[in-house]
């Protein structure tokens, strides 16, 4: 980040009180933006979060030839014109979200050239499952120094068994299948809420899909889809981040438009830690004492298990208090990097392969720490809210990939926090 000050300052130690609005879901809106390409029409996406990953995807869609405009929280995508030659040799580089264009572009034009999407500090983030599945649908993939071209004369429905219930691979197969020839069955499909939202968007646009949210998904190819107006649900990971924050500081908060039905495993874990949770159709109320109940073990799993994206926020909370806890990370191979930053604040965490052994300490002490990726950065902000004194979290730009304005949200909850 040349020149631009890229930090967050937090004066911690206070309980959280207040209400904040939960933004639209990052992991739901990104595949929906890609799927708009398949409608060959104009789509209006409501409750679209203002985050850098969305801006990145907007830039990619514009590069491909779509016309995009923002009206407040609505994003208008005019996908009637897609200039295929734009993709000719044009490598779509950058973040992981570019991989979502794979299925959508193959379904739209039958052709895409792109660089392998970036890995990040939580793992290699390969797309082998995506490519193997698409090859079974008639896609030819040709690699060339760090990039590849994928094309298909005609996408053919097929039975695809995923070795792992990959969210991204499931999304790409769905987008390639909705206008393919015949029926596609995905065996061991991801069941995350973001899959249900993508299928909901596509069904409203005219797609024929059965089993959204189940392990067995059936898509029957149709000739045409049409544009729609569609609202993105609240972000379950952003809501879970703030929910765990109050378990770390104590207090009473209300999370407006939290997608509570998508948060059962998160609420169950919070309740085991002593949170008093109330659900209403407006959102989620959480009341917690400063001292939480110790829990011995948490394992991240595919949905509906405990989400890997909340593993770092939970680790920050568990670093203070009585007792020890083991967190087992089963989804990504390298998602404990935040522990070394928490140690600078006084946390006692030992990493052994897929497991983190956390020994609760009486308090954390604020200091300068560095975010290395999105959710680890959010975990450090939680630690700052809990810590005595001032904490400076550097590399705010990682957090801005998924949190619209984390300082605004925490200020709403009574935290002394600002960007600097
Ligand atoms: C999505 O990533 C989310 N990102 C992630 O959120 C989330 O953590 C993840 O799903 C799991 O829920 C978006 O939706 C944009 P996967 P994705 O394919 O699709 C391995 C956040 O913080 N794998 O389910 O990349 C992969 O390496 C982000 O918001 C392969 O080996 O997740 C990982 O270990 C982080 N080969 C595991 O599977 C493949 O072809 C889960 O990956 C694909 C995946």
């Amino acid at each position: 980040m040349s020149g631009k000050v890229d930090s967050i300052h937090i004066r911690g130690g206070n309980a959280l009180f207040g209400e904040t609005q939960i933004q639209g879901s990052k992991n739901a809106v990104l595949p929906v933006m890609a799927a708009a390409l398949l409608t060959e029409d104009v789509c209006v996406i409501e409750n679209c979060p203002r985050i850098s990953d969305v801006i990145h995807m907007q830039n990619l869609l514009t590069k491909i030839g779509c016309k995009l405009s923002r009206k407040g929280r609505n994003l208008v995508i005019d996908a009637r014109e897609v200039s295929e030659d734009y993709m000719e040799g044009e490598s779509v580089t950058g973040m992981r979200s570019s991989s979502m264009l794979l299925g959508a572009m193959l379904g739209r034009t039958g052709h895409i050239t792109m660089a392998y999407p970036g890995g990040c500090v939580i793992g290699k983030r390969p797309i082998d499952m995506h490519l193997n599945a698409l090859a079974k649908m008639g896609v030819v993939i040709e690699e060339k120094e760090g990039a590849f071209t994928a094309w298909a004369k005609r996408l053919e429905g097929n039975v695809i068994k995923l070795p792992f219930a990959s969210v991204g691979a499931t999304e790409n197969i769905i987008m390639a299948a909705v206008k393919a020839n015949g029926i596609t069955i995905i065996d061991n499909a991801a069941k995350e809420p973001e899959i249900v939202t993508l299928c909901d968007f596509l069904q409203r646009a005219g797609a024929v899909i059965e089993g959204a949210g189940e392990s067995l998904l059936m898509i029957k190819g149709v000739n045409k889809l049409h544009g729609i107006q569609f609202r993105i649900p609240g972000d379950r990971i952003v809501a879970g981040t703030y929910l765990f924050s109050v378990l770390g500081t104590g207090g009473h908060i209300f999370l407006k438009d939290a997608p509570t039905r998508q948060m059962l495993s998160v609420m169950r874990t919070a309740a085991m830690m002593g949170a008093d949770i109330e659900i209403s159709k407006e959102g989620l109320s959480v009341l917690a004492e400063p001292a939480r109940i110790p829990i011995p073990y948490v394992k991240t799993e595919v949905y509906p298990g405990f989400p890997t994206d909340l593993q770092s926020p939970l680790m920050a909370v568990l670093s203070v208090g009585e007792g020890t806890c083991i967190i087992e990370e089963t989804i990504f191979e390298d998602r404990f990097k935040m522990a070394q930053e928490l140690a600078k604040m006084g946390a006692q965490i030992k990493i052994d392969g897929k497991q983190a052994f956390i020994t609760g300490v009486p308090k954390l002490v604020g200091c300068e720490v560095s975010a290395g990726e999105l959710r680890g950065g959010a975990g450090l902000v939680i630690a700052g809210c809990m810590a005595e004194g001032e904490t400076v979290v550097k590399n705010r730009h990682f957090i801005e990939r998924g949190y619209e304005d984390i300082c605004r949200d925490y200020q709403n909850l009574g935290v002394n926090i600002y960007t600097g």
Side-chain angles (χ1 to χ4, degrees):
M1 306 303 291
S2 58
K4 184 180 169 230
V5 182
D6 186 25
S7 302
I8 293 174
H9 297 249
I10 309 134
R11 182 154 292 284
N14 303 316
L16 301 192
F17 290 96
E19 168 177 331
T20 198
Q21 167 80 41
I22 298 301
Q23 69 186 57
S25 164
K26 163 177 95 80
N27 292 347
V29 74
L30 292 173
V32 162
M33 288 172 73
L37 281 171
L38 294 162
T39 68
E40 304 190 38
D41 201 346
V42 179
C43 294
V44 179
I45 299 174
E46 297 174 355
N47 197 30
C48 181
R50 289 189 199 82
I51 52 178
S52 55
D53 267 16
V54 164
I55 293 165
H56 178 80
M57 181 62 95
Q58 286 176 207
N59 295 340
L60 294 179
L61 290 173
T62 304
K63 204 174 199 180
I64 289 170
C66 296
K67 294 183 187 59
L68 283 81
S69 58
R70 263 251 182 216
K71 294 193 174 99
R73 283 192 174 281
N74 290 357
L75 175 67
V76 181
I77 301 178
D78 180 346
R80 286 173 294 186
E81 294 299 318
V82 164
S83 40
E84 228 180 299
D85 55 325
Y86 246 96
M87 294 311 294
E88 198 53 55
E90 179 78 17
S91 67
V92 177
T93 57
M95 278 178 271
R96 182 96 189 145
S97 37
S98 53
S99 63
M100 269 165 222
L101 287 167
L102 197 45
M105 277 302 282
L106 286 167
R108 172 66 185 262
T109 68
H111 174 278
I112 181 169
T113 294
M114 62 186 288
Y116 279 99
C120 61
V121 293
I122 66 176
K124 294 190 299 299
R125 314 292 296 274
I127 58 169
D128 53 312
M129 295 181 207
H130 304 233
L131 299 178
N132 293 341
L134 293 170
K136 286 198 178 140
M137 297 176 74
V139 177
V140 175
I141 292 142
E142 202 178 72
E143 312 211 355
K144 39 189 172 187
E145 68 279 343
F148 64 90
T149 294
W151 76 88
K153 261 201 298 300
R154 182 89 174 87
L155 284 162
E156 296 297 333
N158 204 339
V159 177
I160 293 160
K161 173 143 181 61
L162 284 175
F164 172 81
S166 155
V167 172
T170 302
E171 290 165 344
N172 265 325
I173 299 165
I174 291 168
M175 288 192 265
V178 286
K179 295 205 285 188
N181 188 27
I183 287 178
T184 299
I185 304 275
I186 308 174
D187 182 0
N188 195 25
K191 303 192 284 189
E192 271 68 8
E194 293 75 37
I195 302 294
V196 175
T197 301
L198 175 62
C199 291
D200 187 15
F201 173 87
L202 287 166
Q203 284 166 310
R204 291 166 191 251
V208 177
I209 303 173
E210 291 291 328
E214 304 297 326
S215 294
L216 206 61
L217 243 176
M218 189 283 295
I219 304 110
K220 184 172 181 300
V222 297
N223 291 326
K224 196 149 177 43
L225 298 179
H226 56 79
I228 58 166
Q229 184 135 349
F230 186 78
R231 182 174 180 77
I232 298 294
D235 191 310
R236 63 190 174 104
I237 305 301
V238 170
T241 303
Y242 302 150
L243 186 162
F244 282 124
S245 304
V246 77
L247 273 157
T249 62
H252 191 183
I253 62 174
F254 184 72
L255 304 177
K256 193 166 175 340
D257 294 343
T260 50
R261 278 184 307 128
Q262 299 179 10
M263 298 174 68
L264 299 184
S265 65
V266 174
M267 294 190 290
R268 192 180 318 118
T269 304
M272 282 165 56
M273 294 164 73
D276 185 357
I277 292 172
E278 269 177 42
I279 297 173
S280 67
K281 65 180 188 324
E282 291 76 31
L284 178 62
S285 161
V286 193
L287 173 66
E289 300 301 325
R292 56 171 182 77
I293 300 170
I295 50 171
Y297 175 75
V298 177
K299 177 162 104 168
T300 65
E301 295 175 294
V302 296
Y303 195 85
F306 188 87
T308 174
D309 293 348
L310 284 174
Q311 182 255 101
S312 291
L314 176 64
M315 178 185 277
V317 176
L318 293 175
S319 68
V320 172
E322 305 287 318
T324 61
C325 175
I326 298 172
I327 295 184
E328 183 159 0
E329 170 59 57
T330 69
I331 307 295
F332 287 100
E333 68 268 26
D334 201 1
R335 203 167 198 178
F336 288 137
K337 283 269 174 44
M338 181 191 70
Q340 60 203 22
E341 295 301 305
L342 280 183
K344 293 176 185 172
M345 301 173 75
Q348 281 181 21
I349 303 169
K350 192 168 71 63
I351 307 298
D352 180 6
K354 287 180 175 287
Q355 294 187 326
F357 296 79
I358 304 157
T359 305
V361 294
K363 66 178 179 180
L364 295 178
V365 179
C367 67
E368 185 170 287
V369 289
S370 297
E373 38 83 26
L374 165 56
R375 305 302 176 185
L380 291 173
V381 174
I382 293 177
C385 293
M386 296 163 63
E388 187 183 82
E390 183 175 60
T391 300
V392 179
V393 179
K394 294 169 66 179
N395 301 332
R396 184 179 77 237
H397 62 278
F398 285 119
I399 300 171
E400 289 169 339
R401 287 189 53 192
Y403 295 78
E404 199 172 69
D405 187 340
I406 201 164
C407 288
R408 170 201 66 198
D409 294 349
Y410 275 117
Q411 283 162 357
N412 290 340
L413 301 176
V415 178
N416 180 349
I417 181 172
Y418 61 93
T419 57

